[in-house]
């Protein structure tokens, strides 16, 4: 007479959430340092504009006041009293909403990188390319018309050198993030993450 007693494995001997006869869970994909650094870099780039926005809004407000002050001279018409304050009271909340939306989208992109979504990596690369092209066009304008550009910065009370340095640092940070997410370690992580989500078993 054969011994038909069950010899295991018992549930306590299996990984958490597993039972006899169940397919084992997909292997855990280790997140490399390149992806971690890229993610936290994206988070920093999303939060910094929120910190700097009050100071930048002061520059913009100065530019609005200066521009509206010149309109009566150019058009020979007197603006209504409090017109500048009305423009600024509408502009500041609108800018805050836009910046908050951009920050939220940036954080979502960072989470896509953190979880190994390859399509997010591609979208981020395209957006970084567009941002690089836009920044370069701005520098071409600055070099082609330095007097006009300097006058625009001076009207807002902002230094063109300081603004250029900030733009260069932000652009360099985005370029570094793009490089990190396309390094071999990151490529392996994205490939294995996709395989794990599609049910691949090693």
């Amino acid at each position: 007479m054969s011994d038909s007693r069950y010899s295991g494995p018992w549930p306590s001997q299996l990984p958490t959430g597993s039972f006899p006869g169940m397919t084992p869970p997909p292997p855990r994909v280790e997140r490399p340092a390149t992806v971690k650094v890229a993610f936290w870099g994206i988070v920093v780039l999303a939060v910094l504009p929120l910190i700097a926005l009050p100071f930048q809004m002061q520059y913009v407000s100065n530019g609005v006041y200066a521009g509206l002050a010149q309109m009566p001279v150019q058009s020979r018409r007197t603006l209504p009293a409090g017109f500048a304050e009305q423009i600024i009271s509408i502009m500041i909340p609108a800018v805050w909403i836009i910046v908050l939306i951009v920050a939220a989208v940036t954080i979502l992109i960072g989470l896509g990188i953190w979880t190994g979504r390859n399509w997010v990596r591609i979208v981020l690369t395209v957006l970084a390319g567009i941002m690089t092209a836009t920044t370069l066009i701005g520098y071409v304008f600055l070099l082609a018309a330095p007097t006009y550009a300097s006058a625009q910065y001076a009207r807002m009370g902002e230094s063109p050198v300081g603004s250029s340095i900030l733009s260069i640092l932000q652009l360099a940070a985005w370029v570094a993030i793009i490089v990190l997410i396309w390094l071999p370690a990151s490529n392996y992580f994205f490939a294995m993450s996709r395989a794990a989500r599609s049910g691949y078993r090693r």
Side-chain angles (χ1 to χ4, degrees):
M1 181 176 180
S2 61
D3 189 359
S4 59
R5 289 180 299 176
Y6 180 69
S7 59
W10 301 101
S12 60
Q13 299 173 324
L14 296 172
T16 303
S18 299
F19 296 94
M22 286 184 59
T23 303
R28 181 180 178 183
V29 182
E30 293 295 332
R31 190 172 289 105
T34 53
V35 172
K36 294 178 182 178
V37 173
F39 169 76
W40 288 112
I42 292 173
V43 171
V44 170
L45 290 174
V47 173
L48 280 181
L50 298 176
I51 299 174
L53 187 58
F55 304 98
Q56 293 177 342
M57 290 306 302
Q58 183 61 45
Y59 291 133
V60 174
S61 299
N62 294 339
V64 171
Y65 279 115
L68 292 178
Q70 294 180 359
M71 286 183 63
V73 178
Q74 297 174 354
S75 62
R76 297 180 181 180
R77 294 180 181 179
T78 303
L79 295 175
F83 182 72
E85 287 74 12
Q86 293 178 3
I87 294 295
I88 293 174
S89 65
I90 296 173
M91 179 185 65
I92 290 179
V95 172
W96 270 104
I97 292 173
I98 293 173
V99 172
L100 287 173
I101 292 174
V102 171
V105 172
T106 305
I107 294 295
L108 289 176
I109 290 175
L111 292 175
I113 297 298
W114 182 263
T115 55
R117 308 284 175 172
N118 191 59
W119 68 269
V120 175
R121 180 171 63 158
I122 296 173
V123 170
L124 180 58
T125 303
V126 173
L127 292 177
I130 295 173
M131 182 172 54
T132 301
T134 303
T135 303
L136 292 177
I137 291 173
Y139 286 127
V140 170
F141 167 74
L142 185 62
L143 294 174
T147 303
Y148 176 79
S150 299
Q152 297 301 316
Y153 279 109
R155 180 180 298 176
M156 294 187 297
E158 188 175 1
S159 170
V161 176
S163 179
S164 298
I165 292 175
L166 181 61
S167 298
I168 291 174
L169 291 177
Q170 290 178 333
L171 182 60
W174 280 115
V175 171
I177 288 171
I178 297 303
V179 171
L180 285 172
I181 62 177
W182 287 100
L183 289 177
S186 298
N187 291 336
Y188 178 79
F189 168 74
F190 279 93
M192 293 305 300
S193 297
R194 179 180 179 181
R197 285 191 298 270
S198 62
Y200 171 75
R201 301 289 186 271
R202 283 193 282 186

